[in-house]
Amino acid sequence: MKLDEKGLLVVISGPSGVGKGTVRNALFQREGHNLVYSISMTTRKPRPGEVNGREYYFVSQEEFENRIKNNQFLEYAQFVGNYYGTPLDMVEQKLNEGNEVVLEIEVQGAMQVRKKMDNAVFIFIAPPTMKDLLHRLQNRGSESNEVIQMRYEKACREIELAYMYDYIVVNDTVDNAADKIMAIIRAEHAKTIRTMSGYKKLLEEGKK
Ligand code: 5GP
C-alpha cells in the first residue's frame, strides 16, 4: 500500500558531458515506475539527431521572451548564450496525476525551483574525474573547441555548487548511477513528512 499519493518532482543537474541524458534513458528503461520527463524549451539550435518535441521544444528568442513575460515557466536560465526553461503547465498537470516528474536542468534553474517547490528532491550528477569530463566533452564531436572550452569552464563552476543539492550521484557507470537515483526516489517517497496524509487515514481507520 502507498501512503504517499502525490508525485515527486525530481530535479537532476550536472555539468555538460557528465552523461545526464544517458543516465536518464537508463532510468526510464527500468520497469515499474511512473516517471515522466519534462521536455524543456530552448533557443539553442537542434544538434544533429535532435527532434523538436522530443529532446526540447526549439523556439525563437522572441517566443521564449514572450513566455517569460506571461509567467509560463517554472524556471528558466541562460546557459552559454541560449535560453532554457521548464514549461509550467505540464509539470503541474503530471504531478497532480501522481507521476514523478523529472527535470534535467542547470544549476541556476534548479535553485529557482528550490525556492518555489519545497517538496522537490535535488540530485547532482558528478563525473568520476574532471579529466573524464573533458574527454567526454571533446568526444561528443558536435561543438567547436571554443564551445567545448566554455562548457568545461562552466562545468567547473557548476561542480562548485553541487553542495546545494540533496544528493550527489557519481556517474561511474550508467547503471550504477541510475540505480542510485531510483533508490533515492523510493526512499524519498517513504519519508515521514511525505506520508502524513496516508498515515492520518491509517490512524482514522484504526479508531473505527
Ligand atoms: P544542452 O545544450 O547541452 O542540451 O543543455 C545545456 C544545459 O542546459 C544542461 O546543463 C541542461 O541540463 C540545461 N537545461 C536543459 N533544459 C533546461 C531547462 O529547462 N532549464 C534550465 N535551467 N536548464 C536546462
Side-chain angles (χ1 to χ4, degrees), residues 22-89:
T22 322
V23 172
R24 182 195 1 124
N25 286 340
L27 202 61
F28 276 73
Q29 275 164 17
R30 303 280 153 113
E31 283 179 6
H33 67 73
N34 54 344
L35 299 170
V36 174
Y37 180 61
S38 157
I39 301 169
S40 294
M41 202 164 271
T42 183
T43 58
R44 149 164 101 55
K45 297 277 164 291
R47 295 195 184 114
E50 287 184 332
V51 175
N52 187 36
R54 189 179 67 191
E55 280 78 13
Y56 285 104
Y57 297 107
F58 296 98
V59 297
S60 65
Q61 182 161 337
E62 191 188 0
E63 179 167 352
F64 200 102
E65 286 172 347
N66 272 333
R67 285 171 184 265
I68 297 175
K69 273 189 217 136
N70 295 325
N71 294 320
Q72 288 175 314
F73 291 112
L74 169 62
E75 62 71 39
Y76 70 91
Q78 279 192 319
F79 185 93
V80 194
N82 286 299
Y83 279 121
Y84 295 81
T86 303
L88 182 59
D89 48 359

Side-chain angles (χ1 to χ4, degrees), residues 134 177 200:
L134 184 59
K200 281 182 189 152

